[in-house]
Structures are given as structure tokens and as C-alpha cells.
Amino acid sequence: MSQTSNVTLDVTGMTCAACSNRIEKRLNKMDRVNAQVNLTTEKANIEYDPNTYTVSDFVSNIQKLGYDVATDKTELDITGMTCAACSNRIEKVLNKASGVKQATVNLTTEQAMISYYPGQTDVDALIERIQNLGYDAQPKQTEEQQASRKEKELKHKRNKLIISSVLALPLLMTMFVHLFNMNLPDLLMNPWFQLVLATPIQFIIGWQFYVGAYKNIRNGGANMDVLVVLGTSAAYFFSIYEMIKWLIGTPSIPHLYFETSAVLITLILFGKYLEARAKSQTTNALSELLNLQAKEARIITENGTEQMVPLNQVNVDDILLIKPGEKIPVDGQIIKGETAVDESMLTGESMPVDKKVDDNVIGSTMNSNGVITIKATNVGKDTALSNIIKVVEEAQSSKAPIQRLADIISGYFVPIVIGIAILTFLIWITLVHPGQFEDALVAMISVLVIACPCALGLATPTSIMVGTGRAAENGILFKGGEYVERTHQVDTIVFDKTGTLTHGKPEVTHFQGKKETLALVASAESNSEHPLATAIVQYANEQNVTQIDVEDYKTLPGHGIQAFIDGRYLLVGNRKLMQDNNIDITDYRQKMENMEANGHTVMLIAYDGELQGMVAVADTVKASAKEAVQQLTNMDIHTVMLTGDNQRTAQAIASEVGIDQVIAGVLPEDKAQHIAQLQDKGHKVAMVGDGINDAPALVKADIGIAMGTGTEVAIEAADITILGGDIHLVPKAIHASDQTIRNIKQNLFWAFGYNVAGIPIAAMGLLAPWIAGAAMALSSVSVVSNALRLKRMKL
């Protein structure tokens, strides 16, 4: 090869030599590529011609074979962006960088989230690319550092605004001369006085616009700074031209526009300051989540003493003591004590949850009334709250598809506006007011200023930030902006039964017999680990039943159990067990059949050859399930139950909660197929589940919703996580999505409408430049303010 590059990719998903051979063969079929794939190290070493291929070409070929390539993620803080054109340009350059899988740049958060292939690029190289575009970047700072930096920036913006306002105010007064023919002191109308006031605004306070415009033009782009520089410079330098004519003796009074350039810059700075203040409020949800974290923990040392240490010094397996009224510092398991824990920050439920030995507790929840000792299981970035914060951050940094449309338009907007402004100037000077340079100039400046696409760039990300933050406060975690947009399109929701609609564990729903009979049954069932036996023993304990000694115990598979107690035989089981032992069940038959028809597992009890009673066990429905399904029905959403349970039990649960359709007896591997069948009929399907067996269906569905009480596999596969397992949050998630998308559409309507209406008005000369500047500045503030309404969104 005349020119070669080498790349090493970490390949995941290979299970045998056939896999590595297959990948190697596929890559070596590419022109002038020499590839070696090692199964042991899971690496693909590739030599290639960089003029022919990029790293993405190799990744794509590997993925087509069903394997994947490992990536790393980094987040960068970016400063210097002024509008959507800036963020679009940075994003475009980052996505073209070798080794970058995907990059998204968020104008509102001023952050870039980059997924890249290790070894092909590094963070320093990505930062250098951003700096070459004229912006500054650095690895993501802590929340405290970001808050401090933004506070300094806000103070700097405020100080510049104050100075600019003081200098511009006398110039603003000169406008009243033109508007109302007022008499003002001669000093205000003196060209030299106006020049002294306007120059520092134009070239000191407004220098940031020149720098931004230069950097963008140098890199082949155009942003808001270009429009501001063109408009204000035209007004300033035309005034200089008029002054020169006046100085060389032209008798006419000079027509100066120093006030136009100075007031424009001041108004734009005013808008940027208000915008920065409003944007800082959009991150409140994340800040509030961070503030939930405890700052320190009480560790029990090896010699038994208590010691308060900073939270970052707590390690896994440390023993911690938590007193009433204190926050639980990390995720852990109770090893001593009982208490009630306020988990409202996680679940939204106000009622404390009782906790005892062996129960798990979650970091940042509040210990209500008992002293407990816990063993730390997850600390630092591995705690539940840290994972929640990470999901919210990623969601706020991601882009919804609707935003990408606005980004594309913004990318072409500035060049088009410059073209319209030039055309406006030419039409005015040749057709409207032939030869009147000033009138043509004023119209052109108005077009340049009114058309700044700031509001367009802020319309979507601000709504996504506030909407996902508000949802997180209510226990709903969207993993990205695209899922916010997709969720409101759902017309069918498929529920798993066990652990989703129901609690996922059997409970005794009915017992008929004497207390002594319950004691016999509980004593025998305590020898079994079967879930039904566990439910009966727990029920007996709740009834304060005392167990007695069991002399002999035997499991009868498919029938029940047999035990020898007090010299007599106890039988607990189904009809067949009773019939085999010649026990008459006539008195219980009808009631037993009725309960079985409603999804209960019924066991008959016989002692010493006589029927003594029966016990019914069922997986009970969650209290919120019926109301949640009713809300979905009111929203015209079709509901389906998809379960591996039998038709009779599934139908009983579905009837109880009001679900429209039941698909029962489904094997785990077939669940995704049933989702696909619904999609083939044109439905937008959301799947709600909690188990490992639900993961394929969660991935296949248009939106996967995992219950936070479920398995990590299900949560990882889903697009939305419902914290705490409250199914009532499912319709709330759809409502949150609907409200957020509606807010985005309102923002885009006003942003587009503002530009579409403003440009022709300005071009017709009906809009003074300073009024155009005020309108442009306030349009961005109005968009952000509208997004902030989502903070009051009722779910």
C-alpha cells in the first residue's frame, strides 16, 4: 500500500473461532485492507488506505455480521456558542472526526456528548478540533464548577450590559429627535460626542461579535455573530462616512446612525443576559437531584467506634450507622435494626416503606424513625441516585428528531438571510427610493438583525431539558430526547403481568378454617421453599399463629404436601390429592371452582382423614394498576396483556384492571414476535415489563418501559424507566411526553413565525433597526420562558 493507516477495534459478541474468522474474511474482502481478528483478545487489527476507507466503514461491516465494536463516551463543556449555527458546526466537525461514532452538541447546556472508538481518537484531539473552530472546550466539570463558571459568565454579561447601557442611553435619546422632532441639548447631537460614545460599544464591548464572526467565516460557516457584525458595522461605518463628508465642508447636516449600532449591540447583550438567566433555571431539576445526596456518612470502624467521613471515602462492604432523620448515604443492605424509609425522592410515594434486616435501602432516601446498621453495596457512581442523574444528564444532552430539522434549517438560515438583506438593499436603492443610500441601508440592517436564528436553536433543547427534568422529579426517566418524542405517538401499550400489573409474588387471599388448622398448615409448609408455602407461612405469622413440631414431611409433586403431626396425617393440596385419599370435598367444590376461575390457586386441607378447610393464594394486582389502565383508556390507548401465564388466570387479572386484550401462554422468546405482529398492523407499541424474559420485547417495541423494581437487564433494554415500580407513572410518562412535544412545537412555531413575519416587514422598511434588535433579543427569552412553563407541568 502506498499510504497506510492502522486501526485496532475492540470487537464484542464473538463466541468462537468461526466468529473471528467470519469477521476477518469480511474485512479482507475490502479493497487494499489487511485485517487480523483475535478471538482471545477480542481485537481486530486493520491496515488500510485512509484515502479509501474510514474507521466507520470497518465498524459498519462488523455490525452487519451481527457483532459490535466497543465505544467510550466523554462529555465536554463548550463555551463561546451564540446560536444554533455554532452548535451545528461543532457537531458536524466532531462527527467527521476519525474514530467518532456519534457526537451531539447541546446549545442550551453548552455541552457535547461524544461516543468514540478507543485508540482511534482521544479527548485532547476532540478538544483541539473544537478550539480550531474558534470555541473553547474542556472535559466536563463538576456541578459546583459549572455553577461557579456560569455565575462568573452571568456577572460578566451583566457588567458589560450595564456599561453598554450607560453609553447607549444618550444615543437612544437622539432617536426621539428623529421620531418626535424633539429638542435636545446640542451636545447630544454633536457628531464627535456620538462617536466617542458609540466607538467603545462597537469595538470593545461588541468585540466578541467580531471575534465570533471571524472564526466562523474562517471555518466556512456563518452564525448570528456574522449578522450582528454586518448590521452594526454598516450603521457605524456609514456614520463615519457621513462625518467625513461633514468635516470636509459638505453643508448638509450629517445623517448619523451611531445610535442604531450602539443600541442594537446593547439590546442584543440584554437579550443574551436574560437568556443566560433563564437557561440557568432549566438545569434546576438536575441540581435538585444532586442536592439530594448526603454529604457524609457515619462509619462503624473495626474497633466498633463511630466516625463521620466524607461520602467519597465510603467503600463497598463498609458498615454504616444511620440514625432517625438522617439521609441514607449509599445503597446498602440492612444488617441490624428496623425502620421506615421515606423513598419519595425515588418513587414519588409519600408513605414511608417499612424496612427490616436483609432489606435493601437506597442512597439519599430518608431514614424516618429507627436506628439501622447497613452494609454498603453500591457507592459513588454506582448508586441508584448517581445512575438516575446520569440518565437525566444524557437525556438532556441528546437530541430529539424534531430538533434535527430545526438544526438543518438553522445551518442554511444565515447565508439565506445575508442574501435577502443584499437583495433588499438593491431593491430599495434602485426601485423603492432610487439613489437613497440611507433608506436602503436601514432596510438592510433591519433584515440582518430581525433574522437572527437564536430562538430557533433554543426551541427544542430547552423544552427537552425542562421536560425530562420535571419527569425525573416524578420518578420517570427518559433515556433521551428521541424517546420523549416517540412516546407521545404510542397508541398501544402491552403489559407483562407478573411484577408489572401484579406484585410478582403470591399472597394468601382467602383462608377458611380454624386457627388451629392454619397452625398445622403453616408448620408443615415451613419445611418448603416453594413460593406458595412461603405465602402461607407469612400469612400465618401475620395472624400470630404459633407453629408446632412436624414429625414427618413429604412433598407430593403435582399434588401438594403430606405431613405427620401429633400422630395424625395432614394433607394440603389439590382435588386429586383429596380424591386419592377418599376425602369428600363436596362442601368446598363450588367455591373452589369460582376462586380458580378468578385466577387463584386453591389448596384443600385435610387432617386425620377429614376436610378441615381451604386456602387460596394469588399474585395480587397492584393498587395503582386499575386506575392506570383506566387513564390509558381515557387517552384512547389500546391496552394488551402479554404473559406466559394460563389464559384463565390472565383473563381474570385483565378483567380486574380493565385491559382490552389478553395474549396468554406466550413463551419468553416469543414475546418480541407478538410485539412485531402489533406493529405490522400499524400500531405504535410501548412494552411495559420488569423481567429478563421481557428484554427482547422491550427492545423490539417502539418504546420500552421498564419498572424500576425489575431486573437490570430489563432496565438496560428499555427507553424509559419507571422508578419504584408504580404503574401509575406509565400514563404520566405519556402525558409528560405529550406536554413536552407540544411545548417544542409552540416554540418552533413562534421561532419560525417570528423570522418568517419579521423579515418581509423589515424588508419593506416598516421596522426600525433598533426595534428589530429588541424584538430579536426578546424572541429568545420568550422561547426559553415558554419552555420553563414545563417546570409547573402537572403529572
Side-chain angles (χ1 to χ4, degrees):
M1 300 183 189
S2 57
Q3 181 183 1
T4 62
S5 291
N6 289 280
V7 63
T8 301
L9 300 177
D10 294 316
V11 182
T12 60
M14 296 187 294
T15 57
C16 61
C19 301
S20 56
N21 292 341
R22 192 173 173 216
I23 297 171
E24 190 173 289
K25 188 176 181 181
R26 174 70 172 256
L27 295 176
N28 282 319
K29 281 186 176 180
M30 300 170 72
D31 187 36
R32 291 188 293 173
V33 170
N34 181 19
Q36 293 181 329
V37 182
N38 190 309
L39 175 65
T40 307
T41 61
E42 296 186 321
K43 293 184 182 295
N45 297 307
I46 308 167
E47 185 180 8
Y48 67 102
D49 180 357
N51 295 320
T52 307
Y53 298 111
T54 65
V55 174
S56 298
D57 295 321
F58 305 125
V59 173
S60 176
N61 273 277
I62 292 171
Q63 290 174 335
K64 285 177 181 178
L65 293 175
Y67 308 98
D68 206 355
V69 177
T71 59
D72 278 346
K73 280 187 177 180
T74 188
E75 293 180 68
L76 302 177
D77 289 330
I78 301 176
T79 55
M81 295 187 294
T82 57
C83 66
C86 301
S87 57
N88 292 344
R89 181 147 191 82
I90 297 171
E91 186 174 292
K92 191 174 182 180
V93 168
L94 289 176
N95 278 311
K96 285 184 176 180
S98 177
V100 171
K101 181 180 181 181
Q102 185 180 32
T104 57
V105 178
N106 191 306
L107 176 64
T108 306
T109 61
E110 297 181 315
Q111 290 178 347
M113 181 174 290
I114 307 164
S115 175
Y116 63 95
Y117 301 108
Q120 312 320 308
T121 189
D122 57 32
V123 176
D124 290 339
L126 298 173
I127 289 175
E128 186 179 351
R129 280 181 168 267
I130 295 171
Q131 290 173 337
N132 288 340
L133 291 174
Y135 307 94
D136 197 14
Q138 60 183 324
K140 185 181 175 184
Q141 298 176 306
T142 64
E143 188 71 18
E144 293 78 12
Q145 290 172 325
Q146 288 183 38
S148 176
R149 174 175 60 83
K150 288 181 179 179
E151 186 178 348
K152 288 180 181 177
E153 288 179 1
L154 197 60
K155 186 177 180 180
H156 182 64
K157 283 185 170 75
R158 185 191 64 197
N159 291 340
K160 289 181 69 173
L161 174 61
I162 291 172
I163 296 170
S164 185
S165 299
V166 170
L167 294 173
L169 184 60
L171 294 172
L172 178 64
M173 294 175 65
T174 65
M175 289 186 176
F176 293 105
V177 173
H178 303 298
L179 293 174
F180 306 111
N181 202 23
M182 293 175 59
N183 291 320
L184 291 175
D186 292 339
L187 178 64
L188 291 180
M189 303 306 296
N190 185 285
W192 289 107
F193 180 72
Q194 292 188 21
L195 176 67
V196 169
L197 293 177
T199 300
I201 296 177
Q202 187 73 32
F203 297 111
I204 299 177
I205 295 172
W207 186 247
Q208 66 186 68
F209 300 114
Y210 283 93
V211 172
Y214 167 72
K215 289 177 178 178
N216 267 270
I217 293 171
R218 183 190 66 186
N219 289 287
N223 66 348
M224 184 202 80
D225 292 334
V226 175
L227 298 181
V228 173
V229 165
L230 287 175
T232 60
S233 295
Y236 180 87
F237 287 110
F238 178 73
S239 299
I240 295 291
Y241 168 73
E242 286 289 302
M243 274 191 70
I244 293 172
K245 287 200 309 180
W246 172 66
L247 287 172
I248 62 176
T250 303
S252 60
I253 299 173
H255 289 224
L256 304 179
Y257 289 91
F258 286 124
E259 79 280 359
T260 297
S261 63
V263 172
L264 274 178
I265 289 174
T266 304
L267 287 171
I268 292 168
L269 291 175
F270 177 65
K272 287 295 177 184
Y273 174 71
L274 292 180
E275 181 186 309
R277 283 192 59 188
K279 280 163 64 176
S280 66
Q281 298 178 43
T282 64
T283 59
N284 280 356
L286 199 55
S287 300
E288 288 169 7
L289 286 173
L290 288 164
N291 290 335
L292 290 172
Q293 293 177 317
K295 300 297 185 288
E296 52 186 8
R298 184 182 289 104
I299 287 184
I300 305 298
T301 62
E302 292 182 359
N303 58 15
T305 61
E306 299 177 14
Q307 181 181 351
M308 296 300 295
V309 300
L311 190 63
N312 59 10
Q313 292 184 15
V314 178
N315 299 311
V316 173
D317 293 336
D318 279 350
I319 306 301
L320 309 177
L321 181 70
I322 299 101
K323 295 181 179 180
E326 293 181 345
K327 283 183 180 178
I328 297 170
V330 297
D331 298 354
Q333 186 177 43
I334 298 177
I335 59 176
K336 183 180 178 181
E338 294 184 0
T339 189
V341 177
D342 180 0
E343 296 183 341
S344 57
M345 54 75 61
L346 185 73
T347 65
E349 293 294 327
S350 58
M351 290 297 293
V353 180
D354 292 332
K355 299 285 185 178
K356 59 184 184 301
V357 173
D358 292 336
D359 284 346
N360 293 321
V361 291
I362 299 168
S364 303
T365 55
M366 185 67 72
N367 181 28
S368 295
N369 54 22
V371 178
I372 56 172
T373 304
I374 71 169
K375 183 177 183 180
T377 55
N378 293 304
V379 301
K381 293 182 178 180
D382 296 325
T383 63
L385 182 62
S386 294
N387 287 327
I388 291 169
I389 292 170
K390 182 181 177 183
V391 170
V392 175
E393 284 181 329
E394 291 182 354
Q396 293 185 341
S397 297
S398 66
K399 289 193 175 184
I402 195 171
Q403 181 181 344
R404 298 189 185 279
L405 173 62
D407 287 348
I408 291 170
I409 293 172
S410 296
Y412 293 102
F413 201 79
V414 173
I416 291 173
V417 168
I418 293 173
I420 293 173
I422 294 171
L423 182 62
T424 300
F425 178 84
L426 294 175
I427 291 174
W428 271 80
I429 203 166
T430 57
L431 299 176
V432 181
H433 289 167
Q436 295 296 316
F437 183 84
E438 294 173 28
D439 293 344
L441 178 67
V442 169
M444 182 185 77
I445 292 173
S446 296
V447 170
L448 287 171
V449 174
I450 196 72
C452 287
C454 307
L456 197 58
L458 292 168
T460 299
T462 46
S463 296
I464 291 291
M465 283 190 67
V466 182
T468 54
R470 178 62 177 155
E473 290 173 0
N474 286 269
I476 304 163
L477 294 185
F478 288 93
K479 288 189 177 179
E482 62 182 291
Y483 309 121
V484 177
E485 181 172 347
R486 211 185 295 163
T487 299
H488 91 290
Q489 300 169 345
V490 166
D491 60 23
T492 301
I493 292 190
V494 178
F495 290 97
D496 171 53
K497 180 180 76 69
T498 306
T500 302
L501 292 170
T502 67
H503 288 99
K505 60 179 182 178
E507 297 177 4
V508 173
T509 57
H510 176 80
F511 174 77
Q512 184 170 338
K514 298 178 180 179
K515 194 169 185 178
E516 292 80 3
T517 303
L518 180 59
L520 292 171
V521 176
S523 300
E525 295 286 13
S526 64
N527 292 278
S528 171
E529 295 183 357
H530 192 283
L532 297 181
T534 303
I536 293 172
V537 173
Q538 183 176 342
Y539 174 76
N541 291 337
E542 291 169 356
Q543 304 301 314
N544 296 317
V545 169
T546 303
Q547 295 185 22
I548 55 181
D549 293 333
V550 177
E551 299 165 31
D552 185 35
Y553 173 85
K554 183 190 295 184
T555 299
L556 306 172
H559 294 80
I561 64 164
Q562 173 184 297
F564 196 64
I565 306 175
D566 258 355
R568 288 171 285 183
Y569 278 103
L570 172 74
L571 298 173
V572 182
N574 56 21
R575 295 185 187 82
K576 186 71 166 57
L577 179 61
M578 300 299 148
Q579 291 169 358
D580 291 346
N581 287 274
N582 299 316
I583 294 172
D584 184 14
I585 62 170
T586 304
D587 294 342
Y588 289 85
R589 187 184 300 277
Q590 187 59 50
K591 190 170 186 178
M592 184 179 184
E593 289 176 353
N594 291 341
M595 297 192 76
E596 286 177 338
N598 288 318
H600 294 71
T601 298
V602 183
M603 292 164 280
L604 298 166
I605 306 165
Y607 186 57
D608 197 24
E610 297 290 334
L611 193 64
Q612 300 291 331
M614 71 177 193
V615 59
V617 178
D619 182 6
T620 56
V621 172
K622 291 180 179 178
S624 58
K626 185 174 183 179
E627 184 179 357
V629 171
Q630 182 59 53
Q631 288 181 356
L632 292 170
T633 301
N634 294 341
M635 296 163 71
D636 293 326
I637 294 176
H638 179 61
T639 53
V640 180
M641 179 194 291
L642 185 63
T643 178
D645 211 339
N646 64 72
Q647 182 71 33
R648 185 173 61 182
T649 300
Q651 192 61 57
I653 298 292
S655 299
E656 184 176 349
V657 300
I659 281 181
D660 302 326
Q661 180 182 353
V662 175
I663 305 174
V666 181
L667 296 174
E669 59 268 26
D670 294 335
K671 285 190 173 184
Q673 183 180 345
H674 285 280
I675 296 292
Q677 289 173 357
L678 289 167
Q679 291 171 326
D680 290 342
K681 294 178 181 178
H683 294 294
K684 295 291 184 182
V685 182
M687 171 71 192
V688 185
D690 73 323
I692 293 175
N693 62 331
D694 297 320
L698 289 169
V699 173
K700 180 63 180 174
D702 296 285
I703 288 293
I705 304 176
M707 310 306 289
T709 51
T711 63
E712 289 185 9
V713 174
I715 293 171
E716 185 66 28
D719 308 314
I720 302 172
T721 299
I722 300 298
L723 299 178
D726 182 6
I727 198 171
H728 196 256
L729 294 179
V730 173
K732 289 186 178 182
I734 295 174
H735 180 68
S737 166
D738 184 64
Q739 291 296 305
T740 303
I741 297 303
R742 183 179 301 176
N743 190 271
I744 290 172
K745 289 179 178 178
Q746 290 169 354
N747 284 347
L748 289 174
F749 172 80
W750 289 113
F752 276 117
Y754 162 82
N755 288 128
V756 169
I759 290 174
I761 292 173
M764 288 186 288
L766 301 177
L767 210 58
W770 71 276
I771 296 176
M776 184 275 291
L778 293 174
S779 68
S780 297
V781 179
S782 65
V783 163
V784 177
S785 299
N786 185 53
L788 286 170
R789 291 193 306 111
L790 290 171
K791 289 172 68 69
R792 301 188 298 274
M793 175 171 56
K794 293 184 179 180
L795 297 177

